[in-house]
Amino acid sequence: CRSPNRSGGHVRMRGMACEAGGLGGCDGAARLSHGGTTSIAGIVGPREAKASSRDSDESRVVVHVSAQGGGGWRRDTEEVVRQTLEALIMRSYNPMCVIDVTIQPLSDDGSSMAASINAAIAALIDAGVPLRFAAAAVCCAVMEDGTIVSDPSREQETKAVGTCTFVVRIPNEEIVSSIPSGFVQEKSYLAAMEAACSEAHIVSAFLRMAMEQKISRERQCWGDV
């Protein structure tokens, strides 16, 4: 359920759940939920790229989104997600390779873009793809009274004057990318960004804990063999 805590006109995030692995045919996968919103991401690669699309210096990231579950995906936002993941990945580690990222929003009760990006980040970690830094995505909605709602529900999104999904580098709180929707004044945008940076630490810590738990379970399984 959603935390009722408010601090300085800020409504905080809903509960999260993450399950890594378990998707056949993928080198890494993750199913991630923010409240009633769920997305799954699968990684194939790094694998050798076709000769016509090879980069001799860096790997190439390809993002596929199946948007049957909603999420408000557009071609331009899909490109922003690709650029965001490219910024995270140490692409020089796998030159002349391609990393395929498939994202499937399963249910959308708001903040679907953030849930999908966080699922993709978790899946990259599960696949062992080296990352340049830790990061997390947080959606913030600006309500008519100026309240900032982190991880808004679909109902809250429809009542908001605008939303913005921020991808935040941890721990230095650098904004890797932002995906706005609607009309948000500069003051509200900055307040939303501050809220997103605060919540991103929580999301990143949660993703790290989920991956550590998966590794612990795998070690126990190997120990039982």
Side-chain angles (χ1 to χ4, degrees):
C1 63
R2 179 176 293 279
S3 168
N5 295 333
R6 289 175 178 259
S7 176
H10 171 209
V11 180
R12 310 202 69 160
M13 295 186 67
R14 299 172 289 182
M16 296 179 63
C18 181
E19 180 181 354
L23 191 61
C26 292
D27 297 300
R31 179 188 179 104
L32 189 136
S33 298
H34 291 207
T37 296
T38 300
S39 289
I40 190 168
I43 307 297
V44 176
R47 59 181 176 80
E48 185 177 1
K50 295 180 180 179
S52 59
S53 60
R54 288 178 186 170
D55 187 322
S56 60
D57 298 320
E58 296 180 314
S59 57
R60 188 168 61 92
V61 178
V62 178
V63 174
H64 312 272
V65 178
S66 177
Q68 65 185 40
W73 287 89
R74 306 187 309 269
R75 184 169 296 179
D76 56 338
T77 54
E78 186 174 320
E79 176 63 14
V80 172
V81 172
R82 184 191 66 79
Q83 293 174 358
T84 298
L85 297 181
E86 282 193 339
L88 265 68
I89 296 169
M90 289 185 177
R91 296 192 294 135
S92 60
Y93 272 44
N94 297 284
M96 297 188 292
C97 290
V98 62
I99 301 170
D100 287 295
V101 182
T102 300
I103 298 171
Q104 170 66 70
L106 299 178
S107 60
D108 181 9
D109 185 30
S111 307
S112 181
M113 191 74 64
S116 294
I117 294 172
N118 287 328
I121 292 172
L124 286 168
I125 297 171
D126 186 53
V129 176
L131 304 182
R132 297 175 56 232
F133 48 81
V138 178
C139 178
C140 288
V142 180
M143 311 308 289
E144 289 187 358
D145 63 357
T147 299
I148 305 298
V149 179
S150 296
D151 187 33
S153 66
R154 171 66 73 87
E155 181 181 1
Q156 289 168 321
E157 285 182 341
T158 60
K159 294 179 179 178
V161 297
T163 66
C164 192
T165 299
F166 297 93
V167 180
V168 184
R169 178 174 179 171
I170 302 298
N172 66 359
E173 299 187 357
E174 174 187 341
I175 302 300
V176 180
S177 61
S178 64
I179 306 169
S181 178
F183 177 74
V184 178
Q185 294 182 345
E186 181 179 2
K187 181 179 178 180
S188 296
Y189 177 86
L190 294 175
M193 184 172 64
E194 182 179 356
C197 287
S198 175
E199 300 288 8
H201 288 275
I202 299 172
V203 177
S204 181
F206 172 79
L207 294 178
R208 182 172 64 250
M209 180 181 66
M211 302 310 299
E212 288 173 350
Q213 289 177 347
K214 184 197 179 221
I215 292 171
S216 178
R217 290 193 299 269
E218 290 176 342
R219 286 175 175 171
Q220 290 177 356
C221 289
W222 281 107
D224 292 340
V225 174

